[in-house]
């Protein structure tokens, strides 16, 4: 076992906190502060501190499992398991065509794995049916960012800019629970005299920190943003010069906003006109201001338009592409950013290229050594792919995702997964989804392998291997290498992450998310590099197989045009559109896909708690986290609880058109009386996603996790 201290990063959320790992003599791994990493400056939340608990062999898989004739999952050799997967994928293709094989990835996969998974699907399997759980995370913000700015990068500036801004509006983000170390940026903002405005239907721990908290009805953030823009116009706070010089499309967006009178918006949202006016004042008076969104406005069937409305507010007030101002999305999953850039998304090729762009197909096909015409076209989005399991899609290869818990309308998705002819899952633990598989492959995880991730700032990071993996597990890259070989593709699927990254550099070169100037060496020396970071043009023109290392910061050559420093701040000179101008996109309020009615009179919204992460597959195996957050609950206002006759801790059934979940009542004034909240980390009776609505945003194909109609029923203790 190695015994040195290894600087690396947390396996969980998109903050990608830096940490040091040290193997202890008893076989455990110690986490210690890594103060040199600027994002978290040594701070970690409980999930990060306890992450090594999931490395222990008593909670994880260390042998492949294969379902036997009696229906049980039993240990098998790697050859037996891989042979079975290859045979089933080959059979499915032969009997039903390549699109009958599906691939489902995850926002936790490293860039190297996400890249290889996309290549594996398109080159080895020839299927268009690949998407990933990151679709459920940030796709609405990505779609809106591309429409307005021509580019999607979560934050167009580093977190360190936040405390220097004059005002930040945080929309639908409870980062005090989802990424606690980031809260210090907002505390510093206030210490510096800036204003924090939080918009959330619940008075969360984050909202408690705010100078102003607005609590709109779930699903009405779009109307709220339009009402604010209406007031900006009415009060003469529009930045006409900025609009003239840096944008197009203002007149249509202006007309749409003018239809949203403050009194009308108050009726829709429940936010009073004086609160709207105060928000506009606080946002417009300082020299700089930001709007940051998270899953609240994004996980809606109108998520793209909702984010677009917030972007319009920024553009109308000249708060985008200027120092300490802008719109940003707080990406959720560990590699939610990088995972959407390199090809596991249904419509994308590496470098954030579009699969339906002939030039992009030619470029990537050349790197991959295949005919561009052999690459399939765009496939189904995540929910649509899962919904097609057992019908159009007969076999599925799934990595790093647990849709039985995390997908909307989860009981239906579980039934679709059960109806598959064949399911193979790669995971570190036997998740609820892995438990349904025909073959389960035990794979290495964060501390046991090297790879890169890209955090919410667009900062590409190097996660280093700190310990030797346990006997019996292999990396996802080895899995894809072995399967490719068994399916007749002997070359092009290396198992060394750096070799994969070198190819990713070439595939991304010239694309929107250009990594070609980034190397493992630079990442190690510079504590991360922001994309886009193009390689020297001559290296590209020369068509070299391996790009040269870009010079390091202390290298005098860095000042020459051949050394790109990376791009911490985007859009300061121009936006990434053909003419360099941002686009206003006219949007109007519309209702959620499922409004409350007599039968289902209450709104359900879902989210996370500090001690659990996403579907809980990892964190539910950590004793300290389970002690802090042992199970689901229903957050409910005292008035609603009284009508139901429920006391604190009483079991309450929450029923939607899709299912029923039962969990103890947590009675609090911190939520609106017309809304209940459930965290979504648990399977079984308290599974919040049994209730959620898969109504999709027409552009991003994001399901409406954040608002659906339910009724409450008292349950006998
Ligand atoms: Fe890990 Fe996120 Fe917690 Fe940081 S905030 S320690 S990255 S889970």
């Amino acid at each position: 076992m190695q015994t040195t201290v290894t600087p690396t990063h947390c396996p969980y959320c998109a903050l990608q906190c830096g940490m040091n790992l040290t193997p202890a003599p008893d076989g455990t791994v110690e986490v210690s502060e890594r103060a040199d990493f600027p994002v978290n400056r040594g701070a970690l939340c409980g999930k990060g501190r306890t992450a090594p608990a999931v490395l222990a062999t008593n909670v994880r898989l260390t042998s492949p499992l294969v379902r036997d004739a009696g229906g049980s999952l039993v240990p098998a050799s790697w050859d037996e398991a891989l042979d079975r997967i290859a045979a089933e994928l080959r059979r499915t293709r032969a009997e039903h065509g390549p699109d009958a094989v599906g691939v489902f990835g995850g926002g936790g996969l490293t860039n190297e794995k996400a890249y290889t998974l996309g290549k594996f699907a398109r080159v080895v399997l020839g299927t268009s049916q690949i998407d990933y759980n990151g679709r459920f995370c940030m796709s609405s913000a990505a779609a809106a960012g591309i429409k307005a700015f021509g580019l999607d990068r979560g934050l167009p500036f580093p977190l360190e800019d936040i405390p220097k801004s004059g005002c930040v509006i945080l929309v639908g983000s409870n980062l005090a629970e989802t990424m606690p170390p980031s809260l210090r940026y907002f505390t510093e903002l206030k210490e510096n005299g800036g204003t924090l405005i939080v918009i959330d239907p619940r008075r969360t721990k984050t909202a408690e920190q705010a100078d102003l908290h607005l609590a709109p009805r779930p699903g009405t953030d779009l109307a709220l943003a339009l009402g604010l823009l209406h007031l900006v116009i009415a009060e003469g706070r529009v930045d006409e010069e900025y609009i003239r010089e840096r944008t197009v499309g203002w007149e249509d967006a202006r007309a749409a906003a003018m239809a949203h009178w403050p009194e009308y918006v108050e009726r829709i949202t429940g936010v009073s006109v004086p609160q709207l006016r105060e928000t506009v004042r606080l946002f417009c008076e300082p020299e700089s201001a930001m709007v940051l969104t998270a899953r609240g406005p994004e996980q809606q069937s109108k998520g793209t338009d909702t984010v677009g409305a917030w972007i319009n507010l920024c553009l109308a007030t000249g708060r985008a592409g200027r120092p300490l101002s802008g719109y940003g999305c707080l990406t959720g999953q560990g590699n939610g950013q990088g995972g959407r850039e390199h090809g596991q998304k249904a419509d994308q090729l590496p470098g954030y290229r579009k699969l339906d762009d002939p030039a992009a197909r030619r470029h990537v096909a050349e790197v991959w050594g295949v005919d561009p015409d052999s690459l399939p076209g765009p496939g189904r989005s995540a929910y649509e792919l899962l919904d097609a399991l057992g019908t159009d899609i007969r076999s599925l290869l799934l990595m790093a995702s647990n849709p039985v818990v995390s997908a909307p309308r989860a009981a239906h998705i579980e039934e679709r997964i059960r109806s598959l002819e064949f399911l193979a899952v790669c995971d570190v633990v036997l998740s609820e989804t892995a438990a349904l598989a025909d073959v389960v492959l035990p794979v290495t995880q964060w501390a046991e392998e090297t790879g890169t991730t890209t955090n919410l700032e667009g900062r590409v990071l190097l996660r280093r291997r700190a310990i030797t993996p346990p006997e019996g597990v292999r990396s996802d890259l080895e899995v894809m290498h072995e399967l490719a070989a068994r399916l007749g593709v002997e070359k092009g699927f290396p198992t060394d992450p750096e070799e994969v990254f070198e190819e990713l550099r070439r595939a991304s070169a010239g694309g929107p998310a250009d990594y070609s100037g980034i190397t493992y060496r630079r990442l190690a020396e510079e504590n991360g590099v922001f994309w886009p970071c193009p390689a020297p043009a001559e290296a590209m023109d020369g068509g070299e197989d391996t790009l040269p290392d870009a010079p390091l910061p202390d290298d005098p050559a860095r000042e020459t045009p051949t050394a790109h420093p990376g791009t911490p701040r985007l859009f300061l000179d121009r936006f990434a559109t053909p003419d360099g101008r941002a686009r206003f996109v006219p949007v109007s309020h519309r209702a959620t896909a499922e409004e409350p009615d007599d039968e289902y009179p209450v709104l359900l919204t879902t989210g996370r708690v500090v001690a659990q992460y996403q579907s809980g597959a990892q964190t539910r195996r950590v004793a300290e986290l389970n002690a802090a957050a042992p199970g689901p609950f229903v957050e409910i206002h005292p008035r609603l609880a009284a009508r139901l006759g429920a006391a604190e801790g009483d079991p309450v059934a929450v029923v939607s058109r899709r299912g029923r979940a039962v969990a103890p009542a947590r009675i609090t004034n911190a939520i609106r009386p017309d809304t209940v909240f459930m965290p979504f980390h648990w399977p079984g009776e308290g599974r919040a996603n049994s209730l959620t609505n898969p109504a999709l945003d027409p552009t991003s194909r994001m399901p409406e996790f954040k608002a659906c109609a339910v009724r409450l029923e008292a349950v006998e203790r």
Side-chain angles (χ1 to χ4, degrees):
M1 177 179 279
Q2 300 161 22
T3 54
T4 48
V5 177
T6 305
T8 188
H9 297 273
C10 176
Y12 295 121
C13 86
L15 207 55
Q16 284 296 283
C17 292
M19 58 170 62
N20 286 324
L21 293 182
T22 311
D26 64 358
T28 59
V29 179
E30 286 172 6
V31 174
S32 58
E33 186 176 301
R34 183 183 161 197
D36 71 308
F37 185 61
V39 174
N40 61 311
R41 292 176 268 172
L44 296 170
C45 78
K47 297 185 288 286
R49 270 192 301 99
T50 59
V54 189
L55 298 167
T57 50
N58 61 340
V59 298
R60 65 186 295 192
L61 298 164
T62 53
S63 167
L65 301 173
V66 171
R67 200 164 292 281
D68 67 10
S72 301
L73 279 174
V74 295
S77 71
W78 269 94
D79 276 342
E80 185 186 346
L82 290 164
D83 286 348
R84 178 131 165 220
I85 297 173
E88 288 289 344
L89 299 184
R90 198 182 299 112
R91 177 194 62 75
T92 306
R93 264 193 326 188
E95 291 178 5
H96 306 289
D99 276 358
V101 178
V103 176
F104 200 81
L109 294 174
T110 60
N111 291 320
E112 292 78 0
K113 292 179 184 181
Y115 170 84
T116 304
L117 191 62
K119 181 179 177 183
F120 180 83
R122 289 161 183 131
V123 172
V124 178
L125 300 175
T127 182
S128 66
Q129 299 303 303
I130 174 170
D131 210 51
Y132 78 125
N133 64 18
R135 174 81 67 171
F136 299 156
C137 180
M138 37 31 70
S139 53
S140 295
I146 290 169
K147 278 188 184 186
F149 307 131
L151 187 73
D152 154 47
R153 196 183 83 183
L155 296 180
F157 41 72
L159 284 163
E160 69 185 49
D161 283 4
I162 289 172
K164 301 173 206 150
S165 187
C167 174
V168 176
I169 302 182
L170 201 50
V171 193
S173 168
N174 184 13
L175 47 78
E177 300 222 42
T178 55
M179 42 181 74
S182 69
L183 201 60
R184 67 167 59 179
Y185 292 101
F186 299 87
T187 312
E188 288 169 13
L189 164 80
K190 292 175 61 177
E191 287 167 0
N192 292 342
T195 307
L196 175 62
I197 301 171
V198 171
I199 297 176
D200 198 305
R202 304 162 62 217
R203 188 160 180 82
T204 61
K205 290 195 172 94
T206 311
E208 283 170 5
Q209 308 289 321
D211 299 287
L212 179 63
H213 170 215
L214 311 181
R217 208 167 149 268
T220 63
D221 325 60
L222 171 52
L224 184 65
L226 283 160
L228 296 175
L229 183 52
H230 181 111
L231 283 170
V232 164
I233 298 164
E235 295 178 5
R237 297 182 186 270
V238 169
D239 188 336
E240 302 283 0
E241 190 183 340
Y242 173 91
I243 289 174
R244 225 176 15 256
E245 290 178 0
R246 299 208 56 188
T247 72
V248 295
W250 168 232
E251 283 310 318
D252 288 344
R254 183 183 188 284
M258 289 313 288
H260 292 75
W261 288 89
E263 293 75 13
Y264 171 54
V265 169
E266 179 180 303
R267 279 202 304 280
I268 296 168
T269 63
V271 176
S272 70
V273 174
Q275 281 184 312
L276 295 173
R277 287 194 191 284
E278 179 65 354
T279 304
V280 166
R281 185 185 72 78
L282 292 171
F283 185 68
C284 292
E285 283 189 351
E287 252 180 49
S288 56
M290 300 173 172
V291 173
L292 305 179
T293 67
R295 304 303 80 76
E298 298 165 16
Q299 287 180 326
Q300 298 184 23
S301 61
K302 53 179 182 293
T304 305
D305 283 359
T306 303
V307 174
W310 288 105
I311 291 175
N312 286 350
L313 181 69
C314 290
L315 294 175
T317 52
R319 271 108 165 57
R322 279 180 167 167
L324 309 178
S325 285
Y327 162 78
C329 154
L330 297 160
T331 297
Q333 293 194 80
N335 196 28
Q337 181 68 49
R340 69 193 193 242
E341 295 164 1
H342 297 298
Q344 64 174 329
K345 195 157 171 269
D347 55 351
Q348 277 177 9
L349 288 169
Y352 225 135
R353 289 183 156 92
K354 297 292 285 180
L355 194 47
D356 57 7
D357 172 1
R361 293 169 68 89
R362 277 197 303 278
H363 173 85
V364 174
E366 190 181 336
V367 173
W368 288 352
V370 299
D371 180 348
D373 292 339
S374 72
L375 297 176
R380 289 177 173 87
S381 73
Y383 180 79
E384 293 163 297
L385 189 157
L386 294 171
D387 192 35
L389 299 182
T391 53
D392 291 353
I393 299 173
R394 309 297 183 103
S395 294
L396 183 72
L397 173 64
L398 181 143
M399 284 184 177
S401 188
N402 189 15
V404 166
V405 178
S406 61
R409 198 187 175 198
H412 169 73
I413 293 303
E414 180 175 342
E415 186 259 323
R416 293 289 84 222
I417 290 171
R418 287 180 187 276
S419 73
L420 278 165
E421 291 175 11
F422 179 76
L423 171 65
V425 172
C426 299
D427 210 329
V428 299
V429 294
L430 193 67
S431 71
E432 287 71 20
T433 306
L436 303 181
D438 298 288
V439 179
V440 185
L441 298 180
V443 289
T444 49
Q445 49 177 319
W446 60 293
E448 300 161 352
E449 58 189 14
T450 294
T452 62
T453 60
T454 306
N455 82 347
L456 76 174
E457 306 167 289
R459 188 193 302 250
V460 186
L461 304 164
L462 185 63
R463 267 203 212 144
R464 297 171 176 87
R465 172 169 154 148
I467 58 169
T468 306
E471 202 59 33
V473 305
R474 296 187 185 178
S475 80
D476 294 300
L477 293 179
E478 286 176 85
V479 168
M480 288 184 273
H481 172 87
E482 291 289 338
L483 288 177
R486 281 167 168 78
L487 292 167
V489 181
E490 299 286 346
K491 286 190 177 159
F493 290 88
T495 58
D496 173 23
E498 188 167 6
E499 200 177 327
V500 176
F501 191 79
E502 287 300 311
E503 185 181 303
L504 183 157
R505 290 175 64 197
R506 285 190 285 132
S508 76
D514 190 333
Y515 282 38
S516 59
I518 304 174
T519 64
Y520 271 29
R521 180 166 160 247
R522 278 191 72 174
L523 294 178
E525 299 277 346
E526 297 180 40
N527 245 339
V529 177
F530 290 83
W531 71 258
C533 181
E538 56 270 28
M540 294 291 100
D541 295 344
E544 296 170 25
D545 279 350
T546 302
L547 300 175
D549 268 8
L552 294 170
D554 56 355
D555 189 328
R558 187 177 180 76
E559 300 305 320
T560 74
T562 59
H564 195 287
T567 314
R569 294 172 184 84
L570 295 169
F571 312 140
L572 291 179
D573 299 324
R574 67 193 311 278
F575 294 97
T577 53
D579 60 8
R581 292 166 178 261
R583 299 316 190 233
F584 280 100
V585 178
V587 292
S588 292
H589 164 71
R590 59 182 188 273
T592 54
E594 196 177 65
E595 286 287 300
D597 56 17
D598 290 346
E599 202 180 348
Y600 299 97
V602 176
L603 279 169
L604 167 73
T605 192
T606 62
R608 290 166 49 188
V609 298
V610 67
Q612 299 288 352
Y613 180 70
Q614 307 295 43
S615 82
Q618 293 134 293
T619 50
R620 282 187 277 112
R621 287 168 169 81
V622 180
E624 187 180 327
L625 300 177
N626 273 338
F633 56 87
V634 186
E635 200 173 275
I636 177 169
H637 190 275
R639 287 217 293 277
L640 197 49
R643 278 217 299 278
L644 190 66
E648 178 74 15
D650 280 356
V652 170
V654 184
V655 184
S656 78
R657 288 182 175 84
R658 292 153 295 281
R660 174 187 172 93
V662 178
R666 190 174 284 184
I667 300 174
T668 171
N669 281 306
I671 191 161
R672 294 172 54 95
D674 57 7
T675 302
V676 293
F677 166 83
M678 288 186 77
F680 66 85
H681 309 291
W682 290 273
E685 189 182 50
R687 180 172 63 184
N689 276 319
S690 296
L691 309 165
T692 46
N693 189 354
L696 298 180
D697 179 286
T699 306
S700 66
R701 317 306 286 167
M702 167 72 86
E704 189 143 77
F705 288 98
K706 286 298 178 194
C708 71
V710 297
R711 67 167 179 267
L712 305 183
E713 294 174 357
V715 176
E716 288 286 317
R717 256 189 194 274

